[in-house]
Amino acid sequence: MEKNYERQNRYCFGLGTVGRDMFYSMVSMYLLFYITDVLIVSDSTLLLMTTVLTGLRIFDAVNDPIMGIIVDNTHSRFGKFKPGILIGAIVGSGAMLLMFTDLGLSGAGYVVVFAVCYLLWDIFYGLNDIAYWSMLPALSTDQKQREKIGSFARICANIGLFAVVVGIIPLTNALGEAAGSLKQGWFYFAIIIIALMLGFQAITLIGVKEPKGYFKEEEKTSLKEMFRVIFKNDQLLWVAIALSLFMIGYMTTTSFGVYFFKYAYGDENMYSIFAAVLGISQLTALSAFTWFSKRFSRKILYKFATIVVVLGYIIFFFAPMNMIFIGAAGVMLFVGQAFIQLLMLMFLADTIEYGQWKLGKRNESITFSVQPFINKIGGAMANGVVGLTLYFSGINAAETAADVPAGGITLMKFSMLIIPLIAILIGYIVYTKKYEIDEARHQELVKELAKRGDII
């Protein structure tokens, strides 16, 4: 029977990410749309922005393991993870607000100011993200308990994500109409998202109780040891590669969403309806995950999810501009992706015990710093693909679907669907060939760690 504090931790941990994923989704999925279709920058500025965004994300991704060291070495009366969650949320919120503020700049001047704000957002959201997710494996070493915590957290994360996906176009339009400017509408929407981010994070900060005395006290990790923690943990590296390929595909597809409905389907307002259907489908899949996990191994679930995703991509690519076909393909894509996202989170958590067994230290935060690193690499690649596709397809210069040159829509569909499909398939092959920590192996690791006194 689940203990009271475990239930409290599960709910308070999971609810904390509702606002976080609203916050992250607005930047990762809609910042480029805000730049191209709200601020309406020139083609030359778009190319410069695409280069800057891609470069900054790759540069800052390298910084994430250093954030992991900071969190791993934190010892405060508030615990190991909460200081990073709080500081990251506050500073990241200020930086995001500036990114969605019309400062009256243009050209290179706008790009420079934007780059500074974006880098601050990226660094401090990364600190928050690492501290938040690395708390999960510290709450329990039991796989099934982790799945309960992780699945509820992913449900909450997707509620936050799809609340933004469904609401951003109608709400920014409504706010813009009330304020007399679409730019102001986006600014007010950003304020609402920031308030929700800080409010939901407060639930985690106040409600989650970190277990004390469960793990052996460890010495601080140095910068030199950071490289050992990452590169000597072979299972972590293989998970990182597989997850990177998945996220490149997933984020590329989702980043094209508004553009697809505005320029290919021809009805921008249909995007919110489509997103609502997908959101319900993904939340249903996440809710059902624990039922499936009791009956099937993770390997079988990953295989099933990958097959569903592949079929979804193929149907979507060849589908006519009809919501019955597009909707069915979208449901398949997002149901499969929901399972894969949660499985990848569990794989990453299990590499902590493997690293502790192999290297003698847990280093939850350095291990989980791989996740935002991967998200940023995925986001960088997605932004690069989207930005270049918009430029070469002629979409950035178009005002309506009728203005897109012949072949432009086909190029967008190829970038949105075929490139991601290839990346996700390669990621699955990496997992099947290289990842070795199944359920039985993880139980062995925990038992050996307990015998050694590493888990008390």
Side-chain angles (χ1 to χ4, degrees):
M1 186 174 180
E2 193 176 29
K3 299 175 183 177
N4 287 334
Y5 80 87
E6 290 177 341
R7 189 178 297 111
Q8 177 181 324
N9 279 352
R10 174 155 56 99
Y11 290 127
C12 290
F13 178 81
L15 287 170
T17 202
V18 175
R20 286 181 73 260
D21 273 64
M22 288 180 169
F23 183 81
Y24 181 71
S25 300
M26 186 170 179
V27 176
S28 65
M29 295 176 65
Y30 299 104
L31 181 58
L32 193 59
F33 181 79
Y34 171 77
I35 291 167
T36 59
D37 285 51
V38 179
L39 294 182
I40 310 178
V41 300
S42 64
D43 275 353
S44 60
T45 302
L46 173 63
L47 281 177
L48 184 56
M49 292 292 295
T50 300
T51 304
V52 168
L53 274 173
T54 303
L56 282 176
R57 286 192 169 186
I58 293 173
F59 171 78
D60 184 53
V62 179
N63 184 60
D64 285 327
I66 297 175
M67 296 293 105
I69 290 179
I70 292 172
V71 177
D72 267 338
N73 291 342
T74 298
H75 300 285
S76 75
R77 65 189 184 93
F78 302 107
K80 180 177 180 179
F81 308 102
K82 292 182 180 181
I85 292 174
L86 179 61
I87 294 169
I90 292 173
V91 180
S93 294
M96 174 179 159
L97 187 61
L98 287 174
M99 285 193 291
F100 287 96
T101 301
D102 181 14
L103 300 172
L105 301 172
S106 62
Y110 169 70
V111 173
V112 170
V113 173
F114 171 84
V116 173
C117 294
Y118 183 85
L119 187 59
L120 282 172
W121 176 86
D122 222 12
I123 289 172
F124 283 94
Y125 176 78
L127 174 62
N128 174 277
D129 194 51
I130 291 164
Y132 178 84
W133 285 111
S134 59
M135 184 188 284
L136 188 157
L139 298 179
S140 177
T141 57
D142 180 79
Q143 279 193 326
K144 294 305 176 184
Q145 186 62 26
R146 281 181 179 174
E147 287 175 2
K148 286 182 180 180
I149 298 170
S151 60
F152 182 70
R154 288 309 316 170
I155 288 170
C156 290
N158 280 272
I159 288 173
L161 184 154
F162 281 102
V164 170
V165 169
V166 172
I168 193 165
I169 298 300
L171 287 176
T172 52
N173 286 341
L175 289 168
E177 186 174 343
S181 164
L182 187 57
K183 294 176 184 177
Q184 282 297 104
W186 279 74
F187 174 74
Y188 291 137
F189 188 77
I191 291 176
I192 294 170
I193 296 299
I194 288 168
L196 291 169
M197 159 71 161
L198 296 175
F200 279 103
Q201 285 285 272
I203 296 174
T204 296
L205 291 168
I206 296 169
V208 171
K209 309 299 180 185
E210 291 183 36
K212 295 182 179 179
Y214 186 64
F215 302 109
K216 182 182 71 175
E217 193 73 24
E218 295 176 343
E219 295 180 359
K220 290 188 175 183
T221 302
S222 67
L223 186 62
K224 181 179 179 181
E225 288 177 307
M226 175 193 77
F227 294 100
R228 179 171 174 266
V229 170
I230 295 173
F231 293 104
K232 292 292 184 180
N233 188 332
D234 56 292
Q235 293 301 290
L236 172 61
L237 289 177
W238 290 123
V239 169
I241 293 170
L243 182 54
S244 294
L245 289 162
F246 170 77
M247 289 307 297
I248 288 169
Y250 177 75
M251 295 182 78
T252 299
T253 298
T254 55
S255 295
F256 272 109
V258 179
Y259 295 107
F260 177 83
F261 279 94
K262 183 174 182 178
Y263 295 104
Y265 190 80
D267 184 358
E268 182 181 7
N269 293 320
M270 186 59 72
Y271 174 68
S272 295
I273 299 171
F274 179 74
V277 173
L278 298 190
I280 293 169
S281 302
Q282 198 167 62
L283 290 171
T284 302
L286 289 168
S287 300
F289 179 85
T290 52
W291 186 90
F292 282 98
S293 71
K294 292 176 182 177
R295 292 159 177 80
F296 303 99
S297 69
R298 290 177 175 180
K299 188 173 184 178
I300 290 174
L301 291 178
Y302 195 0
K303 182 177 182 179
F304 165 76
T306 302
I307 291 171
V308 172
V309 166
V310 170
L311 290 174
Y313 270 117
I314 293 172
I315 293 170
F316 204 132
F317 184 80
F318 291 103
M321 292 302 162
N322 182 301
M323 276 304 297
I324 294 176
F325 295 99
I326 294 173
V331 168
M332 294 176 72
L333 276 177
F334 279 79
V335 166
Q337 287 173 341
F339 269 54
I340 295 173
Q341 278 186 308
L342 186 50
L343 285 167
M344 286 290 189
L345 181 64
M346 296 299 104
F347 297 154
L348 190 58
D350 289 348
T351 65
I352 291 172
E353 280 74 44
Y354 178 82
Q356 186 179 17
W357 168 78
K358 185 174 182 180
L359 305 173
K361 295 181 74 174
R362 282 187 66 77
N363 291 117
E364 296 105 334
S365 297
I366 294 177
T367 301
F368 263 84
S369 71
V370 170
Q371 182 171 254
F373 172 88
I374 289 166
N375 289 341
K376 288 168 185 176
I377 292 296
M381 296 297 292
N383 271 333
V385 171
V386 173
L388 290 173
T389 301
L390 295 178
Y391 177 78
F392 286 109
S393 66
I395 290 174
N396 186 59
E399 292 186 10
T400 66
D403 299 325
V404 180
I409 299 301
T410 302
L411 177 59
M412 180 173 68
K413 288 181 68 177
F414 181 86
S415 298
M416 177 183 177
L417 302 168
I418 302 303
I419 292 175
L421 173 59
I422 293 170
I424 289 171
L425 280 175
I426 295 173
Y428 174 73
I429 293 170
V430 170
Y431 160 78
T432 57
K433 299 294 184 182
K434 296 296 182 179
Y435 189 71
E436 301 171 356
I437 310 175
D438 58 13
E439 289 87 337
R441 178 58 178 145
H442 186 261
Q443 288 180 4
E444 290 175 6
L445 290 171
V446 172
K447 288 178 182 178
E448 290 184 36
L449 290 169
K451 286 180 181 179
R452 283 177 8 188
D454 291 334
I455 296 178
I456 301 170

